[in-house]
Amino acid sequence: MHDIVDLRSDTLTLPTPEMREAMARAEVGDDVWEEDPTVKRLEAMAAERLGKEAGLFVASGTMGNLVSVVSHTQAGQEVVLDLDSHIFNYEVAGSAVIGSVQMRPVKTARGFLAPEQVREALRPPNIHIPQTGLVCIENTHNRHGGTCCTPEEIGAVAAVAHGANVPVHLDGARLFNAAVALRRDAREFTRDVDSVTFCVSKGLGAPVGSVVCGSRAFITRARRVRKMVGGGMRQAGVIAAAGVVALETMVDRLAEDHANARRLAEGIAKLPGLTVDLQSVQTNIVIFGVQRPAGPSATQTATNEIVTGCAARKVKVHAIGPTSIRCVTHKDVDAEDIERALDALREITSRW
Ligand SMILES: *Cc1c(COP(=O)(O)O)cnc(C)c1O
């Protein structure tokens, strides 16, 4: 049980004592000179876990996606991706600014491109038309509430892209959540993609960082781009050390977060004025809708009332739209905390 139940994001996780200790003891060197043994260790571990030749430690998931897009493409090319994807919506158009690529967002049913959609989006050779440079996939899908796609679905999309000589990047910020939820080896999700980024700073609990993995040649290019965007860090082993602990000790426990998210979602589904699609609760994210039956406090929207009412009861939740709220479970939220969150929601909605 924690004093404050913080369900706003799994990025709010604090490093474990074991991580702090590993950070204090980390052997370090200048990583731009490729002389930091702890960074190298994390990169090698990540590459091994994802069945790729090499890894590159970056400051964030956003940086990982940016260096990946820029390393795969040339200026003026087009990147095919889902309309609700993180890269298209939440990365400050970095790929357009730094990579000079054009985004080709495609509206999808569940956040995952279907093979036919990729086939339709691929550009034919024609002097008037931008050429397709990359296809991006996201797993788990953030905006769709942590939903998973299977290795087979990824394989089908990759087959179409590769048939046109177009590489595929997987934004796997929460890839290990998908692997744990579907009980599949993480390598199966990455087998058919050319590059992948995952965050150690979310559910895995490390304070900083993501790792990009791919072929040795790709990582060599990505290392140059990382330097270009100011991501060449020096004694970065101090932070990479926590990432090593994250990969070693924090992956399997993600199942607890998924169980807590399910408990939370099932509780929310029973409350008046709140709606949740239980099928979409597959990992550690619960997105619920708020629809108060006409009530007295006309000045305050129901969504606001939930956010402020929860905060007054030491439960933090995050509104992601005028009528929707997102809760994310993580290692610093336990089963008792979930009950407290449900008690808070029950109290607030009981007055509606
Ligand atoms: C969080 C997230 C990112 C970006 O990670 P940051 O470390 O916050 O930059 C990228 N993609 C997805 C799907 C995410 O959820």
Side-chain angles (χ1 to χ4, degrees), residues 11 59-63 65 86-87 91 138 140-142 171 173-174 199 201-202 209-210:
T11 57
S60 66
T62 300
M63 185 183 279
N65 286 332
H86 196 280
I87 295 179
E91 301 189 4
E138 181 174 317
T140 66
H141 199 293
N142 185 330
D171 175 2
R174 295 190 181 84
C199 296
S201 57
K202 292 188 171 169
S210 290

Side-chain angles (χ1 to χ4, degrees), residues 46 50 172-176 196-200 204 209-213 247:
L50 297 182
R174 295 190 181 84
L175 179 64
F176 287 103
V196 53
T197 308
F198 72 93
C199 296
V200 290
L204 300 185
S210 290
V211 188
V212 181
C213 296
L247 271 184

Side-chain angles (χ1 to χ4, degrees), residues 94-145:
S95 296
V97 177
I98 310 281
S100 300
V101 290
Q102 165 164 292
M103 289 292 154
R104 175 83 178 273
V106 176
K107 188 162 173 47
T108 67
R110 300 180 302 120
F112 304 115
L113 292 160
E116 314 80 72
Q117 291 184 297
V118 175
R119 199 172 290 116
E120 275 172 35
L122 291 170
R123 299 287 200 169
N126 177 313
I127 195 171
H128 301 90
I129 297 179
Q131 295 300 286
T132 310
L134 181 66
V135 172
C136 294
I137 305 172
E138 181 174 317
N139 199 22
T140 66
H141 199 293
N142 185 330
R143 248 169 94 110
H144 282 261

